[in-house]
């Protein structure tokens, strides 16, 4: 039982680590309530497309977002919108 619990915490820590970057927090918030093209996210973030794609890959690998292809672009959406509640809690703690 202890091992499983430790594994659960390790998995949770990986999700939190994926969120632990200002750009990724910005991206998660931008995906609030709507699917967004990577090109729009790139404009919002202000980094080159490859950097934004790397951030999105980290979020996708953590199970926080998913993507679908439409012609030449990927469109991302939140898989776990509840992470925004967590972000709000962290924001309050940081005040």
């Amino acid at each position: 039982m202890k091992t499983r619990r430790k594994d659960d915490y390790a998995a949770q820590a990986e999700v939190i680590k994926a969120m632990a970057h200002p750009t990724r927090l910005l991206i998660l918030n931008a995906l609030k309530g709507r699917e967004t093209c990577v090109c729009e996210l790139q404009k919002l973030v202000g980094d080159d497309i490859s950097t934004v794609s790397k951030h999105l890959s980290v979020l996708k690998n953590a199970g926080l977002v998913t993507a679908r292809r439409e012609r030449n672009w990927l469109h991302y959406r939140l898989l776990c919108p509840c992470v925004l509640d967590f972000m709000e809690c962290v924001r309050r703690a940081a005040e």
Side-chain angles (χ1 to χ4, degrees), residues 51-74:
T51 301
V52 174
S53 293
K54 286 177 188 174
H55 284 300
L56 287 162
S57 177
V58 169
L59 294 171
K60 188 175 178 185
N61 289 337
L64 295 170
V65 301
T66 190
R68 76 172 173 84
R69 182 170 293 281
E70 187 175 302
R71 295 186 200 92
N72 294 333
W73 294 106
L74 288 173

Side-chain angles (χ1 to χ4, degrees), residues 7-73:
D7 290 345
D8 290 345
Y9 287 129
Q12 293 171 32
E14 288 301 315
V15 172
I16 293 168
K17 282 196 284 187
M19 295 172 61
H21 190 283
T23 298
R24 291 194 285 270
L25 292 174
L26 176 64
I27 289 169
L28 288 170
N29 195 59
L31 295 175
K32 180 180 180 177
R34 71 182 187 99
E35 187 178 77
T36 306
C37 175
V38 68
C39 59
E40 291 177 52
L41 294 170
Q42 187 267 329
K43 290 176 189 171
L44 174 71
V45 170
D47 289 335
D48 59 84
I49 199 80
S50 65
T51 301
V52 174
S53 293
K54 286 177 188 174
H55 284 300
L56 287 162
S57 177
V58 169
L59 294 171
K60 188 175 178 185
N61 289 337
L64 295 170
V65 301
T66 190
R68 76 172 173 84
R69 182 170 293 281
E70 187 175 302
R71 295 186 200 92
N72 294 333
W73 294 106

